[in-house]
Each structure stands twice: as C-alpha cells, then as structure tokens.
C-alpha cells in the first residue's frame, strides 16, 4: 500500500509569509526593555537585528512579501512533499486519515533553513558582515551556517557545551560551511566568563549560549544576532510550511480536523499551524491544534505565562511567554531542539487564547512512536519530530476508539540521520524517561522578574 | 544567484527500466559457473535469486516494465530534483554549464533504495521470507533494511567489520528498521570461520561479507541474497536516474556533452549514464561519459578485464569484469561504497568498448572538491559522491581553459549526513592520500582464475 505523495510545483511556493498577529482577537503583549521595563522601540533592537527583521518582528500586516532572491533559494528544496501515511494508518488499524508534511528534504535535514535563508538575506541587505547565534543539538547552527555561506557572511555559533562534546558531527557540518563553532559557556564573552567563574565545569544551556551570542553582536557594529526560533519573525518565515500544506490538503480533497506539531521554541509548530489558525480566526474552519512537548521540559503544560528573559545572563528583552524560568536547565534528554526554558510569545499567546492545546510525552514513548512510524513509512524522524509523531498516533488511536474517521495532519520537521546516537542508545536500552523536574522548575520560576505586562 | 531546479511530477517517473544489453554492439560475455566453467543457467542462480530477478539479469529486452507497486513506492521520493549549479559555475569562473541530479532526498539519503525496493518486491512475490546481503559503509544495508520493512521480509546484513566498528550509526539505522546486522567475518558461516581461523583479527572486506551472505542464502530455501551493485539487474533498476535526467535536461533546453559519475560497483554511474549511452548507440547524440574512481582502488584504470569471482571465498559465479583480484583488500579510505575489487560487468564492458572514460582521484582532492561544492550549492555530498564532484569540477576547469561552454551533468548520488566523521577528520588534517597499492594489486591479480571467456 503506497504512501501517497502530494506534490507542488515551484509556482506554488507562497509569495508572502503569513503573520498571525494580523488576525489575533487580542494583541500580543509588548516586548519590554530589560533596563527600563518600557516597551522596546525599533531603535532598541537595532544593535541586534537589521531593520527589515525588526519591522517584521513588530508588524501586524497579514501578508509580508517574500523577496524574490529568498524565494529562489527556498526553491532549492521547496515545495516540500506532503504524504498520506497509509501504511501507518493500516498498522494502527485506525479509521483516521493521517497526513504529514516532510521538512527533512532540506539541505540540513530540517525546517530551519526556511528562516536561516531570509535572516541571512536581510542581514546581507543591511551590510552586516558577521552573524552570531546559539545552537543546541545543532539543527539551527547547521542551517544558519549554510545560509551564511550562500550570502558570504561570517557565521559564529555558540554551541551548548554538552552538545558540542556529544555531537562533534554537527560541528563538523557547520565547519564544512566555514562557520566557527565555540563551546558555550566560553571565555570569549563576559557572560561566559561569569558563568565559568561560578562553575568551571558548567555544561551549558541554550539560555547561556544566547547570552554569549547576543553580547558579541551587541558590541560589534558589523555584527548582528540571529535566533532559530521563538521570535515573531522566525515563526513568520516558517509559515510557508502551513501554506503549502493547505494547497496539498486541498489536492487530497481533505481539510484537517486535527493538526499536530512538536514545540521547543515553537517555530515548526507555528509554521504548520498558524496559517490554519488564521483561517479559523477569519471565519473559516478552525481545526483542533495540538502542541506536543517533552514532559521533561514542559513549558506550555507546566510553565507560567509571564514576562521573562530569553537568556540566562538577562541581556535580552523581556517577553511574555510560557516559561519555566530562565535559570531552568532541562535534563539531558535527546531532543536538544526542545530543551529551552521558554516558548515563542505568539505560541504562548495562542495557547492562552485557547487556540491550541498543549500536551506532553516522555522520552521512551516518543522514540517508540518514531520507530513505529519509520517501519511503516520508511523515514526515520529526528527525536524532536518524534514528539509530533506520538501526538499524531495518539489522536489516530483515539479515532479508532471513538470510531471517527478524522483527518490528522502533522509536521515531520526533520530526519534523524544526525541523531543515530540517540537511536543506538534506545536500541541498547540506555535511554530513560525523566520525572517531572518539579523542584528545579519551582526554583527557576521563583526567580522570574515579576514584571506585569 | 539561484541554484535552478528542474522538477518532474509523479507522472514523469519512468514506466520501464532501460536495459543497456539491448543496444550493445557486442554482447556481454556470459557468466560462468564456478564449478564447471560453463555459462550459468537460470537454474544455477535459483538458490540465490527469485525468478523475476534472474530473468532481468539475463534479459536483452530494451525496456522492462516497472511493477505498479514498485512505482508507487519509488514515488515516495522520486522523481528526484535536477539542479543547475549556477553558484558553483560562478565560483569556478567557467563558461561550462554544470547540472547535477540529486539522489540524496531518498529516505536513506542515497540512490540505493532505487534497487532495494524492486529487489525486496520480487523476493516477496516469490514467497521469500528472509534476505541476506553484505554492506560496506552501510548505504546499501540501510536501504535494503528499509525496503524489507516495507514488504515484511526479514533482513540479515553482513557488515564489513571495520565499518561495523567505525560506523555504529549506520548499524543503528538498519536496526531501526528491524534488520539484523552482523560484523563480517563472523562465526555464523563456514566462509567466515575459515577466514577467522587464518586471521582472528581480520577486519573484513566486501568480498568476504558477500561470501557469508551468499552462503546463508544458498543453504536456506526461504532465503535469498541481494546485492547492492555490480549485477545487471541492479544497474537496470538505477536507470530511472538517467531517464528522469533526460526529461529534466530537456526542460532546461540542454543536452549534456559530458556525463560524470563515481564508480564503486558501478550502479549509480550506470543509472545516470546508460540511458544516454543507449541513446547514442541507437544513433542519437553520444556524450563523453566519465567514470571516476578512487586512486586507492583503481579497478577501471589499473585493473584487468578478466573473469573473476565476486567474493573472497569463491562462492559466486565467475564474471568478466575489470578487477583488482578477489583477494585485494583496498586501504581504509573513507569512501566505503567504492572499496570493491571488481566492477559491474556492464560498466567494464562499456569501458572496454570505449563508451566510457575511466579516471581516478586521490582522497584529499575529492574532499576539497566536495567542500567547494557544499559551500556553493548548500548540499554536503557523501564521500563517494565527492568523486563525481571532483570529476565534474575538473571538466568545468578544462572548459574554462579551452574557452568552451560545454554542458556537464553529474550524479550526486547521496548526502554526507552519515559521513561526518570523515569530514571531521578532513578538517582536523587527519585524512591522507594513498599511494597506488601496486604490489598488493599485482599479488591479487596473480591469483586470478585464468579463465578465458
């Protein structure tokens, strides 16, 4: 039984990104300056981002045109395929129809180049010569390295030290595109040195790596900072995923009842969900939208919706989001891309407004689901994507129990070819589940800045 | 400057494989029985292969229909994209137009599933429950594991011991599809035990792993053997690559003057080259066709065109091919897929007839070319594919020197996401070139069976 593919030609690549801010029934709370507590101005963000990205970050325009040069680069691997998972449906004996959008065909194997390319483009347009960023598992760093090489921009990546040591292959990938990769915390920044002074053996976190990357960008005129998730403009760039999916689902003669995505910072989830959410807000059909996170880093399901910093050293502005506290360091589970203390403000806002349902799964359950998917569909997902897979499978099982032939769409945001150590550990029985880190989260939440927006 | 993509819809997937044997001006020498020295009959091959594959192996029909179920499975990732490498052209300052076909979008990241799927299909049709095979670097074993999981067939992979130890991630990939992976030489077969008795520390070779896989298949009625390259039917299945390329080059308004592929066993090379070669033999335009091999395993450039065994234990039939001698063990360079003592008989025959030009490059030059390609085009090639890249780049440089605007087409047969150790070693200066292994080859050639076909 075939895995049915729905294909789009180049002309179907969206000509504009979709901005959810235009359709929200209640505006997103403003971003606040970390010093003054006042809403940030475009000038405040100038040292970190080029003007076009600041404008996108603050825009409430519904459609933001994709520059032609960016579209041409995206077309190298887009439009990405959308599949009906008929063999998985059969294995699950479910009346549900399961569709998935597959972003693993990009040159770095995930959805991240969708935003890396436009971010590098706008920086090049603004005359920026060097970009700093952070990376956890390495998907984002790899994608930005790639995009910077397209535009001849120098790329400096602060990689969380534990991943730097555990995932040398990701580093080798970045270096193949001439990016420079530094283990964070490092002695190259004041933020890094302060952390190492307190704890010389510190293994790092995304929050710390962001502090280092932001510090370098803020101090150098020719240098800007890029983030791989969380921010409005990053989520915006991912909406090509959902817009393409809409066209492909129409080709299939279906409209999803349930959409499932995994959430770390929120970008791939927003990419598939926001165009449907916006259509619902404008009076069209509104699907159920399920956000799946790891139960060891349960930002949406257990965090607080409050103003917090994006980084550990508190160099970033304050954003209102679901957070576990900026000092929370998640346990070492294998979905590095989902190990962040916060959540995109737009995703947090949508959850608060009841537009999306958060849920969480523990590590072993996600790997078991990923392998069941692989054995049916032939694609081995990244550990992050396994969270979307388990979410979709549970929905399909619910449909079986309820006897409902619902249509489920999920985003398979990347392949697992760089994550074989995790699968090897799983096969060898070395992976484990994690208890809900209740005390650590309570401590980190106690340190929230206590700002009311 | 964009990397221009030429895309085909599902309806463009070829409906038949192209068989070069139909158009050869001189027939391929027969395969000989290892015991009698007489041409093998279909019955002789019965213990190893299902009837449909034996028929394809011996067929001289020009077009062999692709079963609908196989086409549907291939459509999961086919048709694959063909690109014009405009940024690479610019970097090389060449008047040549460089096109490449990209097979890395398949679920195992290479061209190998093109034949793994039909081989598993025909075995399932013949009621076979279990398939044995060998693998070097793991591309083939991964692809067969995937295909067997589609058809519910058990898969047993003998993996060359040095790769088994060096590439645990490839093994983890195979195990994710429930294949069983054994380090070869092993104690599970008589061939393996005999080798280990002589040399308990033997690190294995493809020839040895083939002996083990063939032995298991020959001794069990419900078990057949699959090979990932070399044989006629394997090359046949890869011709979808060249047939699609022809359609895509027509869309681009071009016809290649030069076609470049890398050669290990010959299958990806045949895939892109044979449809063009056949067109030339039938009176159409005949491009120059360049076969690139590693200079440390120079089968076509330094081997002898003679009858030889495909394996070390001499369990396989005798085939006339370019060979370095079945006891030759290539040095440990990083393109595991190109480390085979022999070459596909059809490719060898084509070279002998002057239809293809063999050439060779040493390891460091291939990696440098692969990185130049990656930095221009954004795709990091597998080390095997780097041989095609360096071949294409050298042709483009020749065009620059000669002031000729030729059209070059090469096959980028896989991505390098599983090969990051090799790139890491290259970045760290740990890779080296290899001298031509003159003495070892002379010794191995002295042991040729001396059969005249």
């Amino acid at each position: 039984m075939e895995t049915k593919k729905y294909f789009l030609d180049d002309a179907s690549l969206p000509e504009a990104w979709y901005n959810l801010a235009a359709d929200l029934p209640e505006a997103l709370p403003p971003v606040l300056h970390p010093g003054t507590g006042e809403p940030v101005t475009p000038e405040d963000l100038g040292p970190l981002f080029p003007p076009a990205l600041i404008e996108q970050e603050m825009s409430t325009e519904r459609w933001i045109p994709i520059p032609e040069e960016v579209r041409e680069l995206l077309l190298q691997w887009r439009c990405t395929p959308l599949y009906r998972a008929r063999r998985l449906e059969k294995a699950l004996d479910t009346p549900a129809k399961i569709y998935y959008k597959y972003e693993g065909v990009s040159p770095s194997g995930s959805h991240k180049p969708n935003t890396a390319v436009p971010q590098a483009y706008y920086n090049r347009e603004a005359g920026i010569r060097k970009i700093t960023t952070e990376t956890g598992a390495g998907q984002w760093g790899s994608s930005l390295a790639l995009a910077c090489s397209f535009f001849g921009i120098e790329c400096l990546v602060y990689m969380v030290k534990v991943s730097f040591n555990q995932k040398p292959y990701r580093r080798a990938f970045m270096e193949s595109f001439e990016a420079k990769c530094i283990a964070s915390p490092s002695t190259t920044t004041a933020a890094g040195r302060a952390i190492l002074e307190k704890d010389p053996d510190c293994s790092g976190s995304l929050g710390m790596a962001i502090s280092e990357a932001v510090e370098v960008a803020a101090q150098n005129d020719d240098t800007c900072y890029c983030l791989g998730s969380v921010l409005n403009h990053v989520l915006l760039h991912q909406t090509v995923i959902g817009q393409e999916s809409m066209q492909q689902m129409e080709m299939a003669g279906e409209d999803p009842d349930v959409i499932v995505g995994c959430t770390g910072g929120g970008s791939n989830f927003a990419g598939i969900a926001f165009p449907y959410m916006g259509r619902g807000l404008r009076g069209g059909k509104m699907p159920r939208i399920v956000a799946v996170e790891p139960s060891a880093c349960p930002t949406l399901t257990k965090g607080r919706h409050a103003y917090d910093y994006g980084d550990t050293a508190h160099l970033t502005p304050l954003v209102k989001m679901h957070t576990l506290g900026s000092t929370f360091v998640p346990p070492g589970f294998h979905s590095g891309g989902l190990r962040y203390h916060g959540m995109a403000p737009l995703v947090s806002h949508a959850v608060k407004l009841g537009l999306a349902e958060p849920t969480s799964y523990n590590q072993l359950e996600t790997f078991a689901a990923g392998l069941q998917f692989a054995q049916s569909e032939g694609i081995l997902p990244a550990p992050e994507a396994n969270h979307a897979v388990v979410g979709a499978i549970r929905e399909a099982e619910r449909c079986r129990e309820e006897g409902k032939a619902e249509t489920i769409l999920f985003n398979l945001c990347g392949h697992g070819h760089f994550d074989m150590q995790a699968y090897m550990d799983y096969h060898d029985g070395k992976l484990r589940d994690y208890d809900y880190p209740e005390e650590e989260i309570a401590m980190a939440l106690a340190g929230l800045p206590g700002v009311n927006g």
Side-chain angles (χ1 to χ4, degrees), chain A:
Chain A
M1 186 181 285
E2 82 272 29
T3 295
K4 179 83 183 145
K5 179 178 69 180
Y6 297 92
F7 183 75
L8 295 174
D9 60 18
D10 286 3
S12 305
L13 180 72
E15 293 183 356
W17 292 298
Y18 167 67
N19 183 9
L20 182 68
D23 291 312
L24 284 172
E26 186 183 305
L28 197 64
V31 173
L32 305 180
H33 191 284
T36 65
E38 293 298 310
V40 295
T41 62
E43 291 69 38
D44 292 332
L45 297 174
L48 292 187
F49 303 106
L53 290 175
I54 296 171
E55 199 183 319
Q56 290 179 3
E57 186 65 21
M58 300 185 157
S59 171
T60 53
E61 287 294 312
R62 183 172 293 129
W63 301 104
I64 296 177
I66 307 176
E68 200 44 41
E69 193 175 345
V70 171
R71 284 188 84 244
E72 284 174 358
L73 283 163
L74 295 180
L75 282 172
Q76 185 169 336
W77 69 94
R78 307 203 71 85
C79 303
T80 61
L82 182 138
Y83 296 104
R84 177 160 173 196
R86 288 204 185 155
R87 289 192 301 265
L88 179 64
E89 291 169 15
K90 198 180 168 197
L92 295 170
D93 189 26
T94 178
K97 297 171 194 167
I98 307 175
Y99 291 84
Y100 61 100
K101 179 76 167 166
Y102 182 44
E103 291 289 309
V105 294
S106 87
S108 63
S110 81
H111 65 294
K112 293 292 187 189
N114 294 336
T115 183
V117 167
Q119 288 193 53
Y121 166 81
Y122 288 117
N123 275 286
R124 201 267 326 261
E125 289 296 283
I128 294 301
R129 309 277 293 274
K130 184 171 173 178
I131 288 175
T132 66
T133 197
E134 72 295 323
T135 199
Q139 283 282 17
W140 168 242
S142 298
S143 303
L144 189 65
L146 190 85
C148 284
S149 92
F150 287 154
F151 292 104
I153 297 172
E154 211 180 311
C155 182
L156 174 63
V157 182
Y158 285 93
M159 186 169 186
V160 177
K161 195 176 279 173
V162 58
S163 298
F164 184 92
N165 292 326
Q166 277 177 358
K167 307 202 169 192
Y169 293 175
R170 273 292 182 187
R171 178 159 47 102
F173 188 91
M174 292 181 242
E175 287 171 357
S176 295
F177 292 93
E178 305 209 306
K180 191 172 171 194
C181 191
I182 296 177
S184 167
S186 78
T187 57
T188 64
T189 65
R193 287 189 295 271
I195 294 162
L196 289 171
E197 202 163 300
K198 280 191 205 158
D199 178 7
D201 298 325
C202 177
S203 61
S205 73
L206 271 176
M208 292 174 196
I210 293 175
S211 295
E212 295 206 90
V214 165
E215 181 182 323
V216 173
Q219 288 175 352
N220 295 282
D221 282 348
D222 66 345
T223 304
C224 271
Y225 166 73
C226 283
L227 191 66
S229 189
V230 177
L231 299 179
N232 300 344
H233 68 271
V234 182
L235 276 55
L236 178 80
H237 298 157
Q238 295 293 354
T239 58
V240 290
I241 300 173
Q243 292 185 67
E244 287 177 12
S245 298
M246 272 189 180
Q247 297 179 67
Q248 288 162 311
M249 292 301 290
E250 271 168 35
M251 286 168 68
E254 305 274 2
D255 202 72
D257 301 301
V258 189
I259 292 175
V260 182
C262 64
T263 45
S267 76
N268 95 79
F269 170 80
I272 195 152
F274 281 7
Y276 281 99
M277 205 181 270
R279 189 190 65 176
L281 289 168
R282 294 193 303 276
K285 174 176 170 180
M286 178 70 91
R288 278 181 58 227
I289 296 177
V290 179
V292 184
E293 60 186 11
S295 47
C297 189
T299 320
L300 285 169
T301 50
K302 304 275 191 178
R304 199 171 297 163
H305 191 233
Y307 272 100
D308 197 6
Y309 296 95
D311 72 324
T312 309
H314 299 177
L315 300 176
T316 68
L318 285 160
V319 291
K320 190 154 187 184
M321 60 180 176
H322 284 82
T323 178
L324 300 166
S326 65
T327 58
F328 174 66
V329 179
F333 59 87
H334 262 289
S335 299
L338 308 182
R339 294 177 67 237
Y340 183 59
H341 71 274
M343 180 53 63
L346 269 172
V347 172
S348 295
H349 196 60
V351 167
K352 193 205 132 207
L353 295 175
L355 300 169
E357 307 169 21
T359 183
S360 72
Y361 293 96
N362 219 316
Q363 180 159 267
L364 295 179
E365 201 172 353
T366 64
F367 273 85
L371 286 167
Q372 180 173 23
F373 176 83
Q375 287 157 24
S376 294
E377 298 297 312
I379 298 171
L380 192 68
E384 291 82 1
N386 283 343
H387 290 75
V389 173
V390 73
I393 288 178
R394 293 294 169 273
E395 290 293 329
E397 289 168 341
R398 176 188 56 74
C399 288
R400 182 181 62 210
E401 282 155 29
E402 297 177 357
K404 287 183 179 164
E406 292 182 16
T407 298
I408 300 165
L409 167 65
F410 75 92
N411 194 25
L412 190 70
C413 61
H415 68 56
H417 297 184
F418 283 109
D419 304 284
M420 295 315 301
Q421 183 67 46
Y423 281 99
M424 204 163 74
D425 290 349
Y426 181 81
H427 297 319
D428 294 346
K430 288 183 190 163
L431 286 200
R432 63 177 183 91
D433 281 340
Y434 290 89
D435 291 334
Y436 167 48
E438 194 166 359
E439 268 184 53
E440 292 83 350
I441 290 174
M443 259 179 60
L445 286 176
L448 282 183
V451 174
N452 295 312

